[in-house]
Amino acid sequence: LPVSVGLIAFATPLVKAVFQRGQFGPEATTVVAACVAAYAVGLVPMAAYYVITRTYYALQNMRTPVATGAWMVALNAILAYVFMRAWGATGIALATAVVSFVNVGLLFWLLRRSLGLLEGRRLVGTTLRIGLATAVAIGAGRAASQVGLSIVRLGRFTDAFVLAGVVAVAAIVYLAACLALRVGEVDLLRRMVRRRA
C-alpha cells in the first residue's frame, strides 16, 4: 500500500529523475508518469493475488484461479480497449489495475465461501491503520520534496538525490507511524530481524 500510493504521488519526479534526458523530454515524462501511476493503482491486488492463489494451491484447487484468470484476460482486453479510447496508453495500464482488483476480489469471495470466515475484521483494521500510516508518510514525503526542490533550484543537488531523500523520509515516517498505530506486521518484522541477528 505505501509503495502503491508513493508511486502514484511521486510518479512524475521518479520518471524525471530516471529517464528525462536527451530526447526523453518533459512531454514524455508526463505520459510515462501517468502510466506508472495507473499501474501503481493495482499493486495491492497484484501482491494479494500471489497470497490468495497459493492458498488455492495448498487446498489442491488449481482449477478456480486458472478459470478465473481466463475470464480476467477477456475482461482485461475489453477494458483496455474501452479505456484506451478515453485515456490512451494510460487507459491500458488502468485497465490492468482494475482487473487486478476484480480478480482478487472474486478469488477472495470464492475462498471465503469455501472456507468460511477469513479474519475479515482484522484485515480491515490492519488496512485502515496501514492506510493512515501511508497518508502520514506521503505528507512527510511531500514536505521533504518541497524542501528538496528549493535546494535543487539553488543548484546544490540533483533531482535524483532529492528523490532518494524523499523516499528515505517517507519510509522512516511510515515505520514510525506503523509502530505508533501498533500495526501487528511491524512486530512480526522486528522478531524476524532479531532472529536473523
Side-chain angles (χ1 to χ4, degrees):
L1 186 58
V3 172
S4 175
V5 177
L7 281 173
I8 294 168
F10 299 106
T12 299
L14 174 65
V15 172
K16 182 181 177 184
V18 175
F19 294 113
Q20 189 172 307
R21 60 188 60 83
Q23 293 184 355
F24 196 105
E27 287 184 9
T29 294
T30 301
V31 172
V32 173
C35 291
V36 168
Y39 271 122
V41 169
L43 276 183
V44 172
M46 286 175 192
Y49 172 80
Y50 290 101
V51 178
I52 290 175
T53 52
R54 275 151 184 76
T55 306
Y56 277 100
Y57 297 157
L59 295 169
Q60 297 184 345
N61 178 3
M62 288 174 272
R63 181 180 176 183
T64 300
V66 170
T68 304
W71 283 105
M72 292 305 114
V73 169
L75 179 61
N76 195 18
I78 294 167
L79 288 183
Y81 177 76
V82 172
F83 289 0
M84 183 183 66
R85 291 175 68 88
W87 299 298
T90 304
I92 298 172
L94 189 59
T96 302
V98 170
V99 169
S100 296
F101 274 103
V102 174
N103 190 22
V104 165
L106 182 58
L107 286 172
F108 190 84
W109 178 72
L110 292 171
L111 193 63
R112 190 178 185 278
R113 238 177 42 162
S114 173
L115 296 179
L117 294 176
L118 296 173
E119 297 190 2
R121 285 185 182 176
R122 181 182 174 193
L123 183 61
V124 169
T126 299
T127 302
L128 289 174
R129 286 195 293 274
I130 289 174
L132 181 57
T134 297
V136 172
I138 294 301
R142 288 262 189 213
S145 178
Q146 292 303 314
V147 173
L149 287 174
S150 64
I151 294 172
V152 167
R153 287 190 199 102
L154 296 174
R156 294 183 182 174
F157 296 106
T158 64
D159 289 334
F161 186 85
V162 170
L163 185 62
V166 168
V167 170
V169 168
I172 291 167
V173 170
Y174 174 74
L175 285 173
C178 283
L179 284 169
L181 294 168
R182 297 183 179 178
V183 175
E185 284 72 12
V186 176
D187 289 330
L188 177 64
L189 179 63
R190 191 168 17 186
R191 287 197 299 270
M192 287 171 62
V193 170
R194 282 178 182 169
R195 272 202 302 269
R196 297 257 178 191

